[in-house]
Amino acid sequence: MSFRFEGYVIVSADGMLADARHVMPDSLKFEGDKLFFEQALDRAALIVHGRHSHEQQTNSPKRKRLILTRKIKALTVDPEMPNATLWNPVHASVEEACAFAGVASGTVAIIGGPVVFDMFMDRYDTFWLSEAPHLRLPGGEGCFVGVPERTPHEVLASHGLKPGAPYLLDAAHDVTVTPWRRV
Protein backbone atom coordinates (compact mmCIF):
# COMPACT_ATOMS: atom_id res chain seq x y z
CA MET A 1 0.00 0.00 0.00
CA SER A 2 1.28 3.41 -0.94
CA PHE A 3 -0.62 6.42 0.35
CA ARG A 4 -0.15 10.15 0.41
CA PHE A 5 -1.97 11.79 3.33
CA GLU A 6 -3.25 15.34 2.84
CA GLY A 7 -5.34 17.42 5.23
CA TYR A 8 -7.72 20.22 4.30
CA VAL A 9 -9.37 22.87 6.45
CA ILE A 10 -10.41 26.49 6.30
CA VAL A 11 -10.20 28.47 9.52
CA SER A 12 -11.17 31.85 10.86
CA ALA A 13 -8.57 34.33 12.15
CA ASP A 14 -8.91 32.73 15.60
CA GLY A 15 -8.35 29.18 14.28
CA MET A 16 -11.99 28.03 14.28
CA LEU A 17 -13.51 25.67 11.70
CA ALA A 18 -17.04 25.99 13.09
CA ASP A 19 -19.14 28.33 15.19
CA ALA A 20 -20.26 27.82 18.80
CA ARG A 21 -23.01 25.43 17.57
CA HIS A 22 -20.30 23.25 15.93
CA VAL A 23 -21.58 24.21 12.47
CA MET A 24 -19.47 25.67 9.68
CA PRO A 25 -21.14 29.04 9.09
CA ASP A 26 -21.74 30.46 5.62
CA SER A 27 -19.41 33.32 6.58
CA LEU A 28 -16.51 30.81 6.45
CA LYS A 29 -17.38 29.66 2.93
CA PHE A 30 -15.58 31.40 0.06
CA GLU A 31 -15.91 30.51 -3.62
CA GLY A 32 -12.15 30.32 -4.25
CA ASP A 33 -11.61 27.99 -1.30
CA LYS A 34 -14.64 25.88 -2.20
CA LEU A 35 -13.26 25.40 -5.74
CA PHE A 36 -9.77 24.54 -4.45
CA PHE A 37 -11.24 22.04 -1.97
CA GLU A 38 -13.58 20.43 -4.49
CA GLN A 39 -10.84 19.96 -7.08
CA ALA A 40 -8.53 18.42 -4.47
CA LEU A 41 -11.20 15.96 -3.34
CA ASP A 42 -12.00 15.01 -6.94
CA ARG A 43 -8.35 13.89 -7.27
CA ALA A 44 -8.28 11.95 -3.99
CA ALA A 45 -8.59 8.17 -3.89
CA LEU A 46 -10.29 8.30 -0.47
CA ILE A 47 -11.85 10.92 1.84
CA VAL A 48 -11.65 10.54 5.64
CA HIS A 49 -13.86 12.39 8.10
CA GLY A 50 -15.89 12.09 11.27
CA ARG A 51 -19.63 11.51 11.56
CA HIS A 52 -20.41 15.25 11.65
CA SER A 53 -18.18 16.34 8.76
CA HIS A 54 -19.10 16.16 5.10
CA GLU A 55 -18.16 18.27 2.11
CA GLN A 56 -21.70 18.44 0.61
CA GLN A 57 -20.56 18.85 -2.99
CA THR A 58 -22.00 17.63 -6.27
CA ASN A 59 -19.49 14.77 -6.53
CA SER A 60 -19.71 13.77 -2.86
CA PRO A 61 -21.85 10.64 -3.42
CA LYS A 62 -19.33 9.31 -5.96
CA ARG A 63 -16.31 9.59 -3.63
CA LYS A 64 -15.01 6.66 -1.61
CA ARG A 65 -14.75 7.56 2.05
CA LEU A 66 -14.00 6.39 5.55
CA ILE A 67 -16.29 7.75 8.25
CA LEU A 68 -14.87 7.50 11.75
CA THR A 69 -17.31 6.35 14.39
CA ARG A 70 -17.10 4.76 17.81
CA LYS A 71 -20.54 3.19 17.41
CA ILE A 72 -19.28 0.09 15.57
CA LYS A 73 -16.52 -2.46 16.05
CA ALA A 74 -16.09 -4.15 12.68
CA LEU A 75 -15.53 -2.31 9.43
CA THR A 76 -18.80 -2.09 7.56
CA VAL A 77 -20.34 -0.39 4.56
CA ASP A 78 -22.46 2.60 5.57
CA PRO A 79 -26.09 1.58 4.88
CA GLU A 80 -26.91 5.17 3.85
CA MET A 81 -23.90 5.74 1.56
CA PRO A 82 -22.68 2.75 -0.47
CA ASN A 83 -19.27 4.37 -1.18
CA ALA A 84 -18.62 4.91 2.53
CA THR A 85 -16.98 2.59 5.03
CA LEU A 86 -17.75 3.04 8.72
CA TRP A 87 -14.48 2.75 10.63
CA ASN A 88 -13.68 2.58 14.32
CA PRO A 89 -9.91 3.17 14.56
CA VAL A 90 -9.78 1.36 17.91
CA HIS A 91 -10.59 -1.91 16.12
CA ALA A 92 -8.85 -1.51 12.74
CA SER A 93 -5.83 0.33 11.35
CA VAL A 94 -6.18 2.92 8.62
CA GLU A 95 -4.50 0.45 6.26
CA GLU A 96 -7.11 -2.19 7.08
CA ALA A 97 -9.88 0.35 6.58
CA CYS A 98 -8.45 1.44 3.23
CA ALA A 99 -8.23 -2.19 2.09
CA PHE A 100 -11.84 -2.81 3.17
CA ALA A 101 -12.86 0.27 1.15
CA GLY A 102 -11.03 -1.12 -1.88
CA VAL A 103 -8.30 1.54 -1.95
CA ALA A 104 -4.68 0.34 -2.17
CA SER A 105 -2.87 3.56 -3.11
CA GLY A 106 -3.28 7.24 -3.87
CA THR A 107 -4.09 10.39 -1.97
CA VAL A 108 -6.08 10.07 1.23
CA ALA A 109 -7.77 13.43 1.97
CA ILE A 110 -8.49 14.10 5.64
CA ILE A 111 -11.27 16.70 6.02
CA GLY A 112 -12.01 16.75 9.75
CA GLY A 113 -13.08 17.39 12.42
CA PRO A 114 -10.45 18.16 15.03
CA VAL A 115 -10.09 14.65 16.48
CA VAL A 116 -9.83 13.16 12.99
CA PHE A 117 -7.20 15.72 11.97
CA ASP A 118 -5.26 14.91 15.15
CA MET A 119 -5.16 11.17 14.36
CA PHE A 120 -3.15 11.86 11.21
CA MET A 121 -0.86 14.68 12.44
CA ASP A 122 2.27 12.56 12.21
CA ARG A 123 1.32 11.08 8.83
CA TYR A 124 0.49 14.14 6.73
CA ASP A 125 2.62 14.64 3.66
CA THR A 126 0.90 18.00 3.16
CA PHE A 127 -1.68 19.87 5.19
CA TRP A 128 -3.54 22.57 3.23
CA LEU A 129 -4.45 25.32 5.71
CA SER A 130 -6.88 27.87 4.26
CA GLU A 131 -7.30 31.03 6.33
CA ALA A 132 -9.94 33.77 6.41
CA PRO A 133 -8.01 36.52 8.25
CA HIS A 134 -10.90 38.97 8.63
CA LEU A 135 -13.39 36.59 10.23
CA ARG A 136 -13.56 35.61 13.90
CA LEU A 137 -15.79 32.95 15.43
CA PRO A 138 -15.76 33.59 19.20
CA GLY A 139 -16.52 30.46 21.19
CA GLY A 140 -16.26 28.36 18.05
CA GLU A 141 -14.74 24.94 17.50
CA GLY A 142 -10.97 24.93 17.00
CA CYS A 143 -9.68 23.27 13.86
CA PHE A 144 -7.27 21.03 15.79
CA VAL A 145 -7.13 19.56 19.25
CA GLY A 146 -5.37 22.25 21.30
CA VAL A 147 -6.74 25.26 19.39
CA PRO A 148 -7.31 28.03 20.56
CA GLU A 149 -4.71 27.51 23.30
CA ARG A 150 -2.21 27.19 20.44
CA THR A 151 -2.56 28.51 16.91
CA PRO A 152 -3.10 26.15 13.98
CA HIS A 153 0.43 27.12 12.83
CA GLU A 154 1.92 26.08 16.17
CA VAL A 155 0.10 22.74 16.08
CA LEU A 156 1.26 21.94 12.55
CA ALA A 157 4.85 23.01 13.28
CA SER A 158 4.94 20.88 16.44
CA HIS A 159 4.33 17.84 14.22
CA GLY A 160 7.24 18.56 11.89
CA LEU A 161 5.34 20.39 9.15
CA LYS A 162 6.79 23.53 7.56
CA PRO A 163 4.81 26.20 5.70
CA GLY A 164 5.33 26.83 2.01
CA ALA A 165 4.31 29.91 0.07
CA PRO A 166 0.61 30.76 0.45
CA TYR A 167 -1.72 30.95 -2.55
CA LEU A 168 -4.42 33.62 -2.78
CA LEU A 169 -7.86 32.03 -3.14
CA ASP A 170 -10.15 35.04 -2.64
CA ALA A 171 -8.69 38.53 -3.13
CA ALA A 172 -11.78 40.36 -1.86
CA HIS A 173 -11.49 38.64 1.55
CA ASP A 174 -7.70 37.93 1.60
CA VAL A 175 -8.38 34.18 1.89
CA THR A 176 -5.23 32.14 1.31
CA VAL A 177 -4.20 28.49 1.42
CA THR A 178 -0.76 27.49 2.67
CA PRO A 179 0.72 24.05 2.08
CA TRP A 180 2.39 22.73 5.24
CA ARG A 181 4.76 19.96 4.23
CA ARG A 182 6.76 17.36 6.10
CA VAL A 183 10.50 17.86 5.74
Side-chain angles (χ1 to χ4, degrees):
M1 291 188 167
S2 173
F3 296 111
R4 176 173 177 75
F5 292 93
E6 296 194 357
Y8 295 87
V9 72
I10 184 168
V11 300
S12 62
D14 46 355
M16 303 298 132
L17 60 68
D19 61 20
R21 297 174 297 134
H22 303 284
V23 173
M24 182 183 198
D26 288 342
S27 60
L28 193 54
K29 297 175 183 175
F30 301 90
E31 287 306 314
D33 182 66
K34 286 169 36 179
L35 181 61
F36 170 79
F37 185 53
E38 184 170 6
Q39 289 174 344
L41 296 188
D42 283 345
R43 291 188 301 269
L46 188 67
I47 314 298
V48 180
H49 58 84
R51 291 295 283 166
H52 301 292
S53 299
H54 194 281
E55 70 275 16
Q56 300 172 341
Q57 297 170 344
T58 303
N59 289 338
S60 294
K62 299 175 189 171
R63 296 179 182 137
K64 287 191 174 214
R65 65 187 66 241
L66 297 179
I67 302 172
L68 276 77
T69 179
R70 292 181 181 93
K71 295 181 179 183
I72 58 135
K73 285 188 180 180
L75 293 162
T76 187
V77 173
D78 186 326
E80 297 174 16
M81 290 188 288
N83 279 340
T85 295
L86 298 177
W87 170 44
N88 184 334
V90 171
H91 299 286
S93 70
V94 66
E95 290 80 10
E96 291 168 325
C98 288
F100 184 90
V103 178
S105 65
T107 298
V108 177
I110 317 302
I111 65 170
V115 172
V116 179
F117 285 136
D118 194 56
M119 286 179 52
F120 291 89
M121 272 300 168
D122 295 322
R123 295 186 83 164
Y124 291 121
D125 294 286
T126 304
F127 195 99
W128 297 92
L129 179 65
S130 295
E131 298 177 85
H134 304 301
L135 174 67
R136 293 195 167 277
L137 297 172
E141 181 175 15
C143 62
F144 304 135
V145 173
V147 171
E149 296 80 19
R150 297 190 299 163
T151 69
H153 307 123
E154 291 170 331
V155 172
L156 291 167
S158 74
H159 289 277
L161 296 163
K162 304 280 186 213
Y167 302 93
L168 185 64
L169 296 176
D170 183 311
H173 299 96
D174 297 322
V175 174
T176 59
V177 63
T178 301
W180 285 74
R181 293 191 170 96
R182 189 157 312 282
V183 287

